[in-house]
Amino acid sequence: MHLVGTCVLSFSLLMASPLVSATVSKSFKDCSHFFYMQSPPAGIKGTNLRRVCQKYADKLRYSTLYDSSHHLPLYSAYIFKKSDGKRRMDTPWMYEPQLVSDDDSGNMRAIPLTEDTPPLIEDSQAVLEDYTDAVEYRRGPLNPDLHQSEPDDKSSTYTLTNVVPLLTNLLDAFWNPYLDIIRRRLNNFCHGKSFIVTGVTLSGGTLQRDNRDRLGIPKYLWLAYCCPKFDRNSPYEVRFMFPSYGGYALNEQTDHSVVEVPLKTLESFLKSHTDNDLNIFYKGCVSENTFKKKRDLTSVSV
């Protein structure tokens, strides 16, 4: 009885100390501006899907579709701006209390530094202990801090509702370098906002702890960006990668290379590996670049 009381007390204290805020609902109404044309990806099926508006320091930062059945996000959507590629090393890992209770006020909290995570948290989402014995896997963020420009935006990515278990070699040797390639490409050739969605498909496998299935293991990791306004004078080797492009990688102990493909090819690939008829961006991301009109010579007097 004393142990239960201690757990309840610790959980109550956590709920009283806000660090990050978020809202969970059946729609992305409050954070639709993180999607191109305010339209979330269409065609994703599943049960127990929760839509999370991630909020930090009283400001909405990005959107996440969270699969409560498998304790991992299916995608995170965010706006990319000019980024220096630096990481935050001083931010504690956080959890989402609104996945615990629909009545919660929405403040995300730092994960408790106790021996055991309170059961109410553990039953609703991933916790740090799920990764303790998963020696081949690391926490891989879908919205990475190196794609954020402001310190608070970077900090807001350190929540377990934004990470999935990725093989260490894939994350370090292939995916993180790919994310930096995307960062430099958008920094150099995208004018204005870029909309990015990063997601996963499920393999059917799980990470277990104490003989219980805890986390779904992604089979494929994918990313797509939409840059409506871009530099039409960019080098030939990247010009065809605008206004939209994507990439994917296999999260298995085989070839970990990232394959870059056009948006439609990525959507077709994901459709062939899931039951989803996925449309990532509204109308496939439409260029907003304008062409200079040629002078109407017929109107010139001779």
Side-chain angles (χ1 to χ4, degrees):
M1 187 68 181
H2 175 71
L3 179 59
V4 173
T6 302
C7 254
V8 172
L9 177 60
S10 298
F11 187 67
S12 299
L13 289 174
L14 283 167
M15 301 294 281
S17 176
L19 283 176
V20 180
S21 300
T23 56
V24 177
S25 69
K26 295 182 179 180
S27 74
F28 284 117
K29 179 180 178 181
D30 294 336
C31 53
S32 62
H33 55 286
F34 294 109
F35 302 103
Y36 172 65
M37 299 299 289
Q38 301 188 38
S39 299
I44 295 180
K45 304 173 184 177
T47 58
N48 296 320
L49 302 184
R50 309 294 297 274
R51 288 152 182 84
V52 184
C53 294
Q54 307 279 16
K55 193 175 183 182
Y56 183 83
D58 297 323
K59 182 179 178 181
L60 292 169
R61 306 290 172 171
Y62 57 101
S63 305
T64 299
L65 182 65
Y66 194 79
D67 184 343
S68 296
S69 298
H70 297 94
H71 294 160
L72 85 171
L74 293 184
Y75 67 71
S76 283
Y78 56 96
I79 294 175
F80 176 94
K81 297 179 182 178
K82 296 287 185 179
S83 169
D84 57 13
K86 294 181 180 178
R87 299 180 180 275
R88 290 299 299 262
M89 306 300 293
D90 58 349
T91 304
W93 284 101
M94 306 173 199
Y95 76 97
E96 176 48 66
Q98 288 197 58
L99 292 173
V100 179
S101 171
D102 292 333
D103 297 329
D104 189 83
S105 62
N107 293 317
M108 192 176 291
R109 306 287 188 265
I111 293 176
L113 299 177
T114 57
E115 185 175 347
D116 296 310
T117 302
L120 290 177
I121 301 176
E122 186 173 330
D123 289 345
S124 64
Q125 58 201 278
V127 294
L128 289 175
E129 292 93 329
D130 294 327
Y131 289 89
T132 300
D133 297 324
V135 293
E136 294 180 338
Y137 293 90
R138 291 246 309 278
R139 295 180 294 268
L142 298 187
N143 174 10
D145 57 354
L146 81 161
H147 276 190
Q148 299 299 328
S149 58
E150 300 298 327
D152 282 351
D153 288 331
K154 293 177 184 291
S155 293
S156 71
T157 66
Y158 286 85
T159 143
L160 292 184
T161 54
N162 179 51
V163 299
V164 297
L166 297 180
L167 289 168
T168 299
N169 187 52
L170 166 63
L171 185 61
D172 291 342
F174 296 92
W175 192 254
N176 282 340
Y178 168 66
L179 292 177
D180 196 56
I181 289 173
I182 298 301
R183 180 188 68 83
R184 288 185 278 113
R185 182 184 301 163
L186 296 179
N187 274 352
N188 291 332
F189 305 116
C190 188
H191 300 159
K193 293 180 180 179
S194 297
F195 299 87
I196 297 183
V197 183
T198 306
V200 298
T201 68
L202 295 176
S203 65
T206 59
L207 291 181
Q208 293 190 334
R209 180 165 57 87
D210 299 330
N211 295 319
R212 294 178 298 154
D213 291 338
R214 285 295 302 162
L215 304 182
I217 298 175
K219 182 173 184 179
Y220 285 100
L221 176 65
W222 57 268
L223 176 150
Y225 64 78
C226 169
C227 168
K229 294 182 180 180
F230 56 93
D231 184 359
R232 288 193 176 275
N233 295 316
S234 58
Y236 174 78
E237 58 268 22
V238 297
R239 196 176 307 164
F240 65 92
M241 296 178 175
F242 290 93
S244 63
Y245 219 64
Y248 64 88
L250 182 64
N251 188 41
E252 293 181 357
Q253 294 286 11
T254 53
D255 180 18
H256 290 153
S257 60
V258 179
V259 181
E260 288 204 76
V261 291
L263 177 64
K264 288 299 181 183
T265 303
L266 174 62
E267 291 174 337
S268 297
F269 175 83
L270 295 175
K271 181 180 179 180
S272 68
H273 287 82
T274 66
D275 294 329
N276 299 322
D277 188 7
L278 182 62
N279 291 293
I280 300 174
F281 298 120
Y282 177 75
K283 291 188 176 180
C285 181
V286 180
S287 171
E288 294 179 7
N289 284 9
T290 57
F291 294 91
K292 292 183 178 179
K293 293 183 179 180
K294 293 183 179 180
R295 190 179 180 187
D296 186 0
L297 297 179
T298 61
S299 63
V300 178
S301 299
V302 180

